[in-house]
Amino acid sequence: MNIFKRLRRLRNEDFIWIIYFFIAAFAILANHYETDFLIKKDLVAYKKEKIIHISIFLVAFFIYLYFVLLITEDLHSMEKNFNNTNYRNTFLQLIAALLFLIGGAIYLVQEVTTNDLDEVGFI
């Protein structure tokens, strides 16, 4: 792989780690709103928690999609040979990235469609 391409990918991954930091901070904020809802039955807190969770899952979905597309691009540029360890490992990375993408999509759909106020919470 071209060194400039690899450096660009590393820069993108650094940006993704910063996004993960904000995801963690917003998840803590969402837990605070969920606590307010559970203790005070505050519907405004419930709506804020719901919006934060949907936003988190949407951002995570696009991050997973980015990795799926990146790994797919790598596979297309390689000779298709399962005897080649590099190709096989990249293919396994694609399977893992696809599973994360599918899981993220399921959590996103679940959060959007769940409207039961008695079952608030994800984690």
Side-chain angles (χ1 to χ4, degrees):
M1 178 185 305
N2 182 334
I3 189 168
F4 296 111
K5 187 175 182 179
R6 181 70 183 139
L7 288 172
R8 184 170 26 103
R9 283 187 181 186
L10 287 172
R11 189 174 48 246
N12 290 344
E13 287 179 20
D14 289 343
F15 181 67
I16 289 170
W17 281 113
I18 292 169
I19 291 171
Y20 276 132
F21 172 77
F22 284 105
I23 285 174
F26 279 109
I28 292 169
L29 181 61
N31 284 348
H32 170 73
Y33 287 132
E34 184 176 351
T35 302
D36 283 351
F37 170 71
L38 292 173
I39 292 172
K40 302 173 189 173
K41 300 299 180 196
D42 182 3
L43 290 178
V44 174
Y46 171 75
K47 289 179 183 179
K48 288 179 181 179
E49 178 260 341
K50 189 96 168 149
I51 289 169
I52 291 171
H53 275 157
I54 291 171
S55 300
I56 287 172
F57 289 132
L58 194 59
V59 169
F61 177 82
F62 283 110
I63 289 171
Y64 301 146
L65 182 62
Y66 167 76
F67 283 116
V68 165
L69 294 174
L70 201 64
I71 295 168
T72 302
E73 179 184 311
D74 288 346
L75 278 176
H76 285 302
S77 67
M78 301 171 92
E79 179 186 345
K80 293 170 183 39
N81 179 5
F82 275 99
N83 292 327
N84 180 345
T85 307
N86 193 23
Y87 181 82
R88 187 175 47 243
N89 288 340
T90 306
F91 186 78
L92 292 173
Q93 287 176 345
L94 176 62
I95 292 171
L98 283 170
L99 290 173
F100 272 105
L101 181 67
I102 292 167
I106 290 169
Y107 275 126
L108 179 61
V109 168
Q110 180 270 330
E111 189 66 37
V112 169
T113 59
T114 301
N115 221 3
D116 190 354
L117 294 176
D118 293 333
E119 294 183 19
V120 177
F122 160 66
I123 299 174

